[in-house]
Amino acid sequence: MPSFDIVSKVDSQTFDNAMNNAKKEILNRYDFSSSKSTIDHDKKTNVITIITEDDMRLKAITDAIISKMIKQNLDANSLDFGKEQYASGNMIRKEVSVKEGIDKETAKKIVAKIKASGSKAQASIMDDQVRVQSKNIDDLQAVIALCRKEDFGQPLQYINMRS
């Protein structure tokens, strides 16, 4: 039976390149020359920690990260910006987590959207992905088109198309 999987993944090497480019840009900018700003990416937990002096620099750093991600063809919706925390002294800390996998709520929305469309395709939740099956490949392609139109709050990829 033809099927495919809906997943949400970020290519780790491409993301690492985007982070390194953002770090270089921040280090070379004139307005950050006397700054104590740091950007750390923990690859195990997939969390970016930004520490800087003020809101203006924090905004500039987040804009640099987003712009470098876009240049690397990564979707900026995969970033989950947390709240600012005031660290020691006058420093501001912000943790940005990278969304990997589809959470249960988003998976339920995807399955509900596929069922509501009246398609003959059947969707099921498997861990952090959604598997869609149908007897007809055209139904699967219609489901992909339907999911691309809808915004589920994170980037989706369609992999493992089997016929």
Side-chain angles (χ1 to χ4, degrees), residues 8-85:
S8 179
K9 293 183 181 177
V10 177
D11 182 24
S12 60
Q13 184 62 46
T14 309
F15 182 73
D16 198 36
N17 289 342
M19 287 302 303
N20 289 335
N21 289 339
K23 285 179 190 177
K24 277 186 201 172
E25 179 181 322
I26 294 302
L27 289 175
N28 293 332
R29 283 179 52 166
Y30 177 75
D31 53 343
F32 282 90
S33 61
S34 64
S35 174
K36 298 174 191 159
S37 302
T38 60
I39 306 170
D40 292 321
H41 177 226
D42 186 8
K43 294 178 184 175
K44 289 184 181 177
T45 59
N46 233 0
V47 174
I48 304 165
T49 305
I50 303 169
I51 301 174
T52 189
E53 288 92 2
D54 55 24
D55 289 330
M56 181 193 73
R57 288 188 174 142
L58 182 65
K59 175 97 170 88
I61 292 171
T62 56
D63 288 345
I65 291 171
I66 290 172
S67 70
K68 296 303 176 187
M69 283 185 68
I70 291 171
K71 284 184 182 176
Q72 295 282 341
N73 291 328
L74 295 173
D75 196 342
N77 287 335
S78 62
L79 297 178
D80 186 21
F81 292 96
K83 291 185 176 181
E84 293 95 18
Q85 303 166 347

Side-chain angles (χ1 to χ4, degrees), residues 62-143:
T62 56
D63 288 345
I65 291 171
I66 290 172
S67 70
K68 296 303 176 187
M69 283 185 68
I70 291 171
K71 284 184 182 176
Q72 295 282 341
N73 291 328
L74 295 173
D75 196 342
N77 287 335
S78 62
L79 297 178
D80 186 21
F81 292 96
K83 291 185 176 181
E84 293 95 18
Q85 303 166 347
Y86 290 95
S88 62
N90 61 347
M91 303 296 275
I92 299 173
R93 172 190 308 228
K94 186 169 195 159
E95 291 189 351
V96 181
S97 61
V98 181
K99 297 179 195 172
E100 286 275 330
I102 300 174
D103 61 345
K104 293 290 183 191
E105 293 301 316
T106 306
K108 287 179 184 177
K109 288 179 189 175
I110 293 170
V111 171
K113 189 70 175 176
I114 292 170
K115 287 183 180 178
S117 71
S119 175
K120 293 180 182 177
Q122 299 169 351
S124 59
I125 300 171
M126 297 175 57
D127 294 332
D128 59 349
Q129 65 185 17
V130 177
R131 172 149 302 161
V132 182
Q133 296 177 330
S134 178
K135 292 180 181 176
N136 192 350
I137 292 181
D138 294 337
D139 293 337
L140 297 178
Q141 291 174 342
V143 168

